Amino acid sequence: MNIGRKHWAVAGGHIPFETTGREPDFSSRDRLALLNASLVAAQVEIQVVYADRPQAGPYRICVAPQRLRTVRINDLIDPLPVPLDTAYALIIRSEMPIVVQFTRLDSGSASRALAGGNAYCSNS
Amino acid sequence: MNIGRKHWAVAGGHIPFETTGREPDFSSRDRLALLNASLVAAQVEIQVVYADRPQAGPYRICVAPQRLRTVRINDLIDPLPVPLDTAYALIIRSEMPIVVQFTRLDSGSASRALAGGNAYCSNS
Amino acid sequence: MNIGRKHWAVAGGHIPFETTGREPDFSSRDRLALLNASLVAAQVEIQVVYADRPQAGPYRICVAPQRLRTVRINDLIDPLPVPLDTAYALIIRSEMPIVVQFTRLDSGSASRALAGGNAYCSNS
Amino acid sequence: MNIGRKHWAVAGGHIPFETTGREPDFSSRDRLALLNASLVAAQVEIQVVYADRPQAGPYRICVAPQRLRTVRINDLIDPLPVPLDTAYALIIRSEMPIVVQFTRLDSGSASRALAGGNAYCSNS
């Protein structure tokens, strides 16, 4: 079953500058989880959109068939790293329907706070 | 690609009264992130709805093409500031399809808690 | 503009037993926020569904036109109070389209954690 | 009223390894809440998808009519337990429309952080 959508977006991205977590498990990070339930590999392209500079990308990611792939936004470095302490948004396009969830773990305070939810998905 | 919708709503807004965070980064706040993936500027109007007083607005915001814009609800002051410690809702209308995410950062306690998700979007 | 839907559901309700917060602001609670953007009052009926007992309700709530109404689940007592430390779900039906958000504030630990998101809305 | 959908997915699952919580209430866990508002029992099958191993399942769960059922991912052990400290995704199929919410409670830090939201639901 090809559950999911081909177009997704995340509006509220932000990698904090400070962190008290251990690297790499609990460092401050935003994370994407990409689920490909289909029998075919999904070629995914991500554009990173900013408030005051041109968008960057595409960042290319392949999600194997019937597999999950998690991507730390920190690790998006080609063609350009995503700067710390800067608001950003993501536009995600996949050839195959996928399911995308965006999770934030903020370890900048004494306690860790995390938040997550599905990314926005369009009808197509 | 014009990803997004023209009509969005947030029901559970609330700016806490107390805060222990540093200003302005970690003060208690609700924040909107507005993504305009299109090639045209998006003129956005926000109405703020309350439990026991008439709605206020419109607050007008422009989101440049292929840009993200973040708005602290604290900073909505024209025509009227949003009061502290008061539940509110937002109705957001845009001429162009946009993607809206609502994030809360509560710094009233020793640790910071944050929560977020996409705002509700109608079919139109 | 009548933004919203008539049928909503929340699956993951749970009022913790312990609390360290001040009453009533920071006591452990689940909260509904109901936005009625229309020009007509919305009559809302809530059914509370449990794991091991019959559902309770309807709890009746009226949301005035162009107003927000917040409801602590703790305060749903007629016809029956919602028990503490028990998982529950909510089925929400409104005569007018409304927007529903469900927020949890857990003050059982030293820090307060909160989470929220839109409730599930059906197509009708 | 048969509120809900038959196909759901969760992309961002992760059971942390460390925990400071009391067992079983506050141990680190991911939890599913399944609401069956219909008058017929819902037979549910869950597939667990991983990044680097074949998917596992189906895990079979029955949700009684007009009842809520909560499932800790820790407790999915037949046919195979879900490993700790491993990212996973869930594909959930039900014969009857249901409403699914996914909640995370992370007790690995001094404070408990929780996050939740509806799972992704397809149109079918």
Side-chain angles (χ1 to χ4, degrees):
Chain A
M1 186 184 58
N2 287 358
I3 195 171
R5 303 287 179 106
K6 294 182 177 179
H7 297 154
W8 296 80
V10 172
H14 186 266
I15 306 174
F17 184 74
E18 61 172 331
T19 175
T20 61
R22 301 173 311 184
E23 285 285 348
D25 279 350
F26 301 118
S27 59
S28 292
R29 70 174 181 268
D30 288 2
R31 201 185 66 144
L32 279 181
L34 307 152
L35 166 62
N36 177 10
S38 79
L39 298 171
V40 188
Q43 307 297 334
V44 179
E45 290 193 354
I46 302 175
Q47 291 283 343
V48 185
V49 181
Y50 298 102
D52 53 9
R53 69 183 82 183
Q55 59 182 339
Y59 300 84
R60 300 182 200 280
I61 289 166
C62 180
V63 190
Q66 296 190 300
R67 286 291 188 280
L68 170 69
R69 180 149 182 198
T70 58
V71 178
R72 290 176 50 174
I73 307 303
N74 279 5
D75 294 335
L76 293 179
I77 56 173
D78 178 18
L80 277 175
V82 178
L84 297 182
D85 209 22
T86 302
Y88 67 87
L90 304 173
I91 302 173
I92 301 155
R93 298 180 180 91
S94 170
E95 290 179 344
M96 299 295 302
I98 57 174
V99 176
V100 176
Q101 194 171 355
F102 181 73
T103 308
R104 171 169 299 168
L105 177 66
D106 182 351
S107 63
S109 67
S111 70
R112 292 177 292 159
L114 80 173
N118 283 300
Y120 168 79
C121 57
S122 71
N123 284 325
S124 55
Chain B
M1 186 186 60
N2 288 359
I3 195 170
R5 303 288 179 105
K6 294 182 177 178
H7 296 153
W8 296 80
V10 172
H14 185 267
I15 307 174
F17 183 74
E18 61 172 331
T19 177
T20 62
R22 301 174 310 186
E23 285 287 348
D25 279 350
F26 301 117
S27 58
S28 293
R29 70 176 181 267
D30 288 0
R31 202 185 64 145
L32 279 181
L34 307 151
L35 166 62
N36 177 11
S38 80
L39 297 172
V40 188
Q43 307 297 335
V44 179
E45 290 193 353
I46 302 176
Q47 291 283 340
V48 185
V49 181
Y50 298 103
D52 53 8
R53 69 184 81 183
Q55 60 182 337
Y59 301 84
R60 300 180 201 279
I61 289 167
C62 180
V63 190
Q66 297 190 298
R67 287 290 189 281
L68 169 70
R69 180 149 181 196
T70 58
V71 178
R72 290 177 51 175
I73 307 303
N74 280 4
D75 293 336
L76 294 179
I77 55 174
D78 177 16
L80 277 175
V82 178
L84 297 182
D85 208 22
T86 302
Y88 67 87
L90 304 173
I91 302 173
I92 300 155
R93 297 180 180 92
S94 171
E95 290 179 345
M96 298 296 302
I98 57 173
V99 176
V100 177
Q101 193 171 356
F102 180 72
T103 309
R104 171 170 298 168
L105 177 66
D106 182 351
S107 63
S109 67
S111 71
R112 293 177 291 159
L114 80 173
N118 282 301
Y120 167 80
C121 57
S122 71
N123 285 326
S124 54
Chain C
M1 186 184 59
N2 287 0
I3 195 171
R5 304 288 180 104
K6 295 182 176 179
H7 296 153
W8 295 80
V10 172
H14 186 267
I15 306 174
F17 184 73
E18 61 172 332
T19 176
T20 62
R22 302 172 309 184
E23 285 286 349
D25 279 349
F26 300 117
S27 58
S28 293
R29 70 176 181 268
D30 288 1
R31 201 185 65 144
L32 279 181
L34 308 150
L35 165 62
N36 177 10
S38 79
L39 297 172
V40 188
Q43 307 297 334
V44 180
E45 289 193 354
I46 301 175
Q47 291 283 340
V48 185
V49 181
Y50 298 103
D52 53 8
R53 70 184 79 184
Q55 60 182 337
Y59 300 85
R60 300 181 200 279
I61 289 167
C62 180
V63 189
Q66 297 190 297
R67 286 291 188 281
L68 169 70
R69 180 148 181 197
T70 59
V71 179
R72 290 176 50 175
I73 307 303
N74 280 6
D75 294 335
L76 293 179
I77 56 174
D78 177 16
L80 278 174
V82 178
L84 297 183
D85 209 21
T86 301
Y88 67 86
L90 304 173
I91 301 173
I92 301 156
R93 297 179 181 92
S94 170
E95 290 179 343
M96 298 296 301
I98 57 174
V99 177
V100 177
Q101 193 171 356
F102 180 73
T103 308
R104 171 169 297 167
L105 177 65
D106 183 352
S107 63
S109 68
S111 71
R112 292 175 294 159
L114 80 172
N118 283 300
Y120 168 80
C121 58
S122 71
N123 285 326
S124 54
Chain D
M1 187 184 59
N2 288 0
I3 194 171
R5 302 287 179 106
K6 294 182 177 179
H7 295 153
W8 295 80
V10 173
H14 185 267
I15 307 174
F17 184 73
E18 61 172 331
T19 176
T20 61
R22 302 172 312 184
E23 285 286 350
D25 280 350
F26 301 117
S27 58
S28 292
R29 71 176 181 268
D30 287 1
R31 201 184 67 144
L32 279 181
L34 307 151
L35 166 63
N36 178 10
S38 80
L39 297 172
V40 188
Q43 307 297 334
V44 180
E45 290 192 354
I46 301 175
Q47 292 282 340
V48 185
V49 181
Y50 297 103
D52 53 8
R53 68 184 80 185
Q55 59 181 338
Y59 300 84
R60 300 181 200 279
I61 289 167
C62 181
V63 190
Q66 297 190 299
R67 287 290 189 280
L68 170 70
R69 182 151 180 195
T70 59
V71 179
R72 289 177 49 176
I73 307 303
N74 280 4
D75 293 336
L76 294 179
I77 55 174
D78 178 16
L80 277 175
V82 178
L84 297 182
D85 209 21
T86 302
Y88 67 86
L90 303 173
I91 302 173
I92 300 156
R93 297 180 181 91
S94 169
E95 290 179 344
M96 299 295 301
I98 58 174
V99 177
V100 177
Q101 194 171 356
F102 181 72
T103 308
R104 171 169 298 167
L105 177 65
D106 182 350
S107 62
S109 67
S111 71
R112 293 176 292 159
L114 80 173
N118 283 300
Y120 168 80
C121 58
S122 71
N123 284 327
S124 55

CSV table of all heavy atoms in Angstrom, one decimal, chain D residues 73-101:
chain,number,residue,atom,x,y,z
D,73,ILE,N,4.1,0.9,22.8
D,73,ILE,CA,4.9,0.2,21.8
D,73,ILE,C,5.8,-0.8,22.4
D,73,ILE,O,6.1,-1.9,21.9
D,73,ILE,CB,5.7,1.3,20.9
D,73,ILE,CG1,4.7,2.3,20.4
D,73,ILE,CG2,6.4,0.6,19.8
D,73,ILE,CD1,3.6,1.8,19.6
D,74,ASN,N,6.2,-0.5,23.7
D,74,ASN,CA,7.0,-1.5,24.5
D,74,ASN,C,6.3,-2.8,24.5
D,74,ASN,O,6.9,-3.9,24.7
D,74,ASN,CB,7.1,-1.0,25.9
D,74,ASN,CG,8.2,0.0,26.1
D,74,ASN,OD1,8.8,0.4,25.2
D,74,ASN,ND2,8.4,0.4,27.4
D,75,ASP,N,5.0,-2.8,24.5
D,75,ASP,CA,4.2,-4.0,24.7
D,75,ASP,C,3.9,-4.8,23.4
D,75,ASP,O,3.3,-5.9,23.4
D,75,ASP,CB,2.9,-3.7,25.4
D,75,ASP,CG,3.1,-3.2,26.8
D,75,ASP,OD1,4.2,-3.5,27.4
D,75,ASP,OD2,2.2,-2.5,27.3
D,76,LEU,N,4.4,-4.3,22.3
D,76,LEU,CA,4.2,-5.0,21.0
D,76,LEU,C,5.4,-6.1,21.0
D,76,LEU,O,6.5,-5.7,20.7
D,76,LEU,CB,4.3,-4.1,19.8
D,76,LEU,CG,3.2,-3.1,19.6
D,76,LEU,CD1,3.5,-2.2,18.4
D,76,LEU,CD2,1.9,-3.8,19.5
D,77,ILE,N,5.1,-7.3,21.3
D,77,ILE,CA,6.1,-8.3,21.4
D,77,ILE,C,5.9,-9.5,20.6
D,77,ILE,O,6.8,-10.3,20.4
D,77,ILE,CB,6.3,-8.8,22.9
D,77,ILE,CG1,5.0,-9.3,23.5
D,77,ILE,CG2,6.9,-7.6,23.7
D,77,ILE,CD1,5.1,-9.9,24.8
D,78,ASP,N,4.7,-9.6,20.0
D,78,ASP,CA,4.3,-10.8,19.2
D,78,ASP,C,4.0,-10.3,17.8
D,78,ASP,O,3.0,-9.6,17.6
D,78,ASP,CB,3.2,-11.6,19.8
D,78,ASP,CG,2.8,-12.8,18.9
D,78,ASP,OD1,3.5,-13.2,18.0
D,78,ASP,OD2,1.7,-13.3,19.2
D,79,PRO,N,4.7,-10.6,16.7
D,79,PRO,CA,5.7,-11.6,16.6
D,79,PRO,C,7.1,-11.2,17.1
D,79,PRO,O,7.9,-12.1,17.3
D,79,PRO,CB,5.8,-11.9,15.1
D,79,PRO,CG,5.4,-10.6,14.5
D,79,PRO,CD,4.4,-10.0,15.4
D,80,LEU,N,7.4,-10.0,17.3
D,80,LEU,CA,8.8,-9.6,17.6
D,80,LEU,C,8.8,-8.3,18.5
D,80,LEU,O,8.0,-7.4,18.2
D,80,LEU,CB,9.6,-9.2,16.4
D,80,LEU,CG,10.3,-10.4,15.6
D,80,LEU,CD1,10.9,-9.8,14.3
D,80,LEU,CD2,11.3,-11.1,16.4
D,81,PRO,N,9.5,-8.2,19.6
D,81,PRO,CA,9.5,-7.0,20.3
D,81,PRO,C,10.2,-5.8,19.5
D,81,PRO,O,11.1,-6.1,18.7
D,81,PRO,CB,10.4,-7.3,21.6
D,81,PRO,CG,11.2,-8.5,21.2
D,81,PRO,CD,10.4,-9.3,20.2
D,82,VAL,N,9.7,-4.6,19.8
D,82,VAL,CA,10.3,-3.4,19.1
D,82,VAL,C,11.6,-3.1,19.9
D,82,VAL,O,11.5,-2.9,21.1
D,82,VAL,CB,9.3,-2.3,19.1
D,82,VAL,CG1,9.9,-1.0,18.5
D,82,VAL,CG2,8.0,-2.7,18.4
D,83,PRO,N,12.7,-3.0,19.3
D,83,PRO,CA,14.0,-2.7,20.0
D,83,PRO,C,14.0,-1.3,20.6
D,83,PRO,O,13.5,-0.4,20.0
D,83,PRO,CB,15.0,-2.9,18.9
D,83,PRO,CG,14.4,-2.7,17.6
D,83,PRO,CD,12.9,-3.1,17.8
D,84,LEU,N,14.7,-1.2,21.7
D,84,LEU,CA,14.9,0.1,22.3
D,84,LEU,C,15.9,0.9,21.5
D,84,LEU,O,16.7,0.4,20.8
D,84,LEU,CB,15.5,0.0,23.8
D,84,LEU,CG,14.6,-0.7,24.8
D,84,LEU,CD1,15.3,-0.8,26.1
D,84,LEU,CD2,13.2,-0.1,24.9
D,85,ASP,N,15.8,2.2,21.7
D,85,ASP,CA,16.8,3.2,21.1
D,85,ASP,C,16.9,3.0,19.6
D,85,ASP,O,18.0,3.2,19.1
D,85,ASP,CB,18.1,2.9,21.8
D,85,ASP,CG,19.0,4.2,21.8
D,85,ASP,OD1,18.4,5.3,21.7
D,85,ASP,OD2,20.2,4.1,21.9
D,86,THR,N,15.9,2.7,19.0
D,86,THR,CA,15.9,2.5,17.5
D,86,THR,C,14.7,3.3,16.9
D,86,THR,O,13.6,3.2,17.4
D,86,THR,CB,15.7,1.0,17.2
D,86,THR,OG1,16.7,0.2,17.8
D,86,THR,CG2,15.7,0.7,15.7
D,87,ALA,N,15.0,4.0,15.9
D,87,ALA,CA,13.9,4.7,15.2
D,87,ALA,C,13.0,3.7,14.5
D,87,ALA,O,13.5,2.7,13.9
D,87,ALA,CB,14.5,5.7,14.2
D,88,TYR,N,11.7,4.0,14.5
D,88,TYR,CA,10.8,3.1,13.8
D,88,TYR,C,9.6,3.9,13.3
D,88,TYR,O,9.3,5.0,13.8
D,88,TYR,CB,10.3,2.0,14.8
D,88,TYR,CG,9.4,2.4,15.9
D,88,TYR,CD1,8.1,2.6,15.8
D,88,TYR,CD2,10.0,2.8,17.1
D,88,TYR,CE1,7.3,3.1,16.8
D,88,TYR,CE2,9.2,3.2,18.2
D,88,TYR,CZ,7.9,3.4,18.0
D,88,TYR,OH,7.1,3.9,19.0
D,89,ALA,N,8.9,3.3,12.4
D,89,ALA,CA,7.6,3.9,11.9
D,89,ALA,C,6.5,2.8,12.1
D,89,ALA,O,6.8,1.6,12.2
D,89,ALA,CB,7.7,4.3,10.5
D,90,LEU,N,5.3,3.3,12.0
D,90,LEU,CA,4.1,2.4,12.2
D,90,LEU,C,3.2,2.6,11.0
D,90,LEU,O,2.9,3.7,10.6
D,90,LEU,CB,3.4,2.6,13.4
D,90,LEU,CG,4.1,2.6,14.8
D,90,LEU,CD1,3.2,3.0,15.9
D,90,LEU,CD2,4.6,1.2,15.0
D,91,ILE,N,2.7,1.5,10.4
D,91,ILE,CA,1.6,1.5,9.4
D,91,ILE,C,0.5,0.8,10.0
D,91,ILE,O,0.6,-0.4,10.4
D,91,ILE,CB,2.1,0.9,8.1
D,91,ILE,CG1,3.3,1.6,7.5
D,91,ILE,CG2,0.9,0.9,7.1
D,91,ILE,CD1,3.9,0.9,6.3
D,92,ILE,N,-0.7,1.5,10.1
D,92,ILE,CA,-1.8,0.9,10.9
D,92,ILE,C,-3.0,0.8,9.9
D,92,ILE,O,-3.4,1.8,9.3
D,92,ILE,CB,-2.1,1.9,12.0
D,92,ILE,CG1,-0.9,2.0,13.0
D,92,ILE,CG2,-3.4,1.4,12.8
D,92,ILE,CD1,-0.9,3.3,13.8
D,93,ARG,N,-3.5,-0.4,9.8
D,93,ARG,CA,-4.7,-0.7,9.0
D,93,ARG,C,-5.8,-1.2,9.9
D,93,ARG,O,-5.6,-2.1,10.6
D,93,ARG,CB,-4.4,-1.7,7.9
D,93,ARG,CG,-3.3,-1.3,6.9
D,93,ARG,CD,-3.0,-2.4,5.9
D,93,ARG,NE,-2.0,-2.0,5.0
D,93,ARG,CZ,-0.7,-2.3,5.1
D,93,ARG,NH1,-0.3,-3.0,6.2
D,93,ARG,NH2,0.2,-2.0,4.2
D,94,SER,N,-7.0,-0.7,9.7
D,94,SER,CA,-8.2,-1.1,10.4
D,94,SER,C,-9.3,-1.4,9.5
D,94,SER,O,-9.5,-0.8,8.5
D,94,SER,CB,-8.6,0.0,11.4
D,94,SER,OG,-9.8,-0.3,12.0
D,95,GLU,N,-10.1,-2.4,9.8
D,95,GLU,CA,-11.3,-2.8,9.0
D,95,GLU,C,-12.3,-1.7,9.1
D,95,GLU,O,-13.1,-1.4,8.2
D,95,GLU,CB,-11.8,-4.1,9.4
D,95,GLU,CG,-10.9,-5.3,9.1
D,95,GLU,CD,-11.6,-6.6,9.5
D,95,GLU,OE1,-12.5,-6.5,10.4
D,95,GLU,OE2,-11.1,-7.7,9.0
D,96,MET,N,-12.4,-1.1,10.3
D,96,MET,CA,-13.4,-0.1,10.6
D,96,MET,C,-12.7,1.3,10.7
D,96,MET,O,-11.5,1.3,11.1
D,96,MET,CB,-14.1,-0.3,11.9
D,96,MET,CG,-14.9,-1.6,12.0
D,96,MET,SD,-16.3,-1.6,10.8
D,96,MET,CE,-17.2,-0.2,11.3
D,97,PRO,N,-13.3,2.4,10.4
D,97,PRO,CA,-12.7,3.7,10.6
D,97,PRO,C,-12.4,3.9,12.1
D,97,PRO,O,-13.2,3.6,12.9
D,97,PRO,CB,-13.7,4.7,10.1
D,97,PRO,CG,-14.6,3.9,9.2
D,97,PRO,CD,-14.6,2.5,9.7
D,98,ILE,N,-11.2,4.3,12.4
D,98,ILE,CA,-10.8,4.6,13.8
D,98,ILE,C,-10.0,5.9,13.8
D,98,ILE,O,-9.7,6.4,12.7
D,98,ILE,CB,-9.9,3.5,14.4
D,98,ILE,CG1,-8.6,3.3,13.5
D,98,ILE,CG2,-10.7,2.2,14.5
D,98,ILE,CD1,-7.6,2.3,14.1
D,99,VAL,N,-9.8,6.4,15.0
D,99,VAL,CA,-9.0,7.6,15.1
D,99,VAL,C,-7.7,7.2,15.9
D,99,VAL,O,-7.9,6.6,17.0
D,99,VAL,CB,-9.7,8.8,15.9
D,99,VAL,CG1,-8.8,10.0,16.1
D,99,VAL,CG2,-11.0,9.2,15.0
D,100,VAL,N,-6.6,7.6,15.4
D,100,VAL,CA,-5.3,7.2,16.1
D,100,VAL,C,-4.5,8.4,16.5
D,100,VAL,O,-4.3,9.3,15.7
D,100,VAL,CB,-4.5,6.3,15.1
D,100,VAL,CG1,-3.1,6.0,15.7
D,100,VAL,CG2,-5.2,5.1,14.7
D,101,GLN,N,-4.1,8.4,17.7
D,101,GLN,CA,-3.1,9.4,18.2
D,101,GLN,C,-1.9,8.8,18.8
D,101,GLN,O,-1.9,7.7,19.4
D,101,GLN,CB,-3.8,10.3,19.3
D,101,GLN,CG,-3.1,11.6,19.6
D,101,GLN,CD,-3.9,12.5,20.5
D,101,GLN,OE1,-5.0,12.2,20.8
D,101,GLN,NE2,-3.2,13.6,20.9
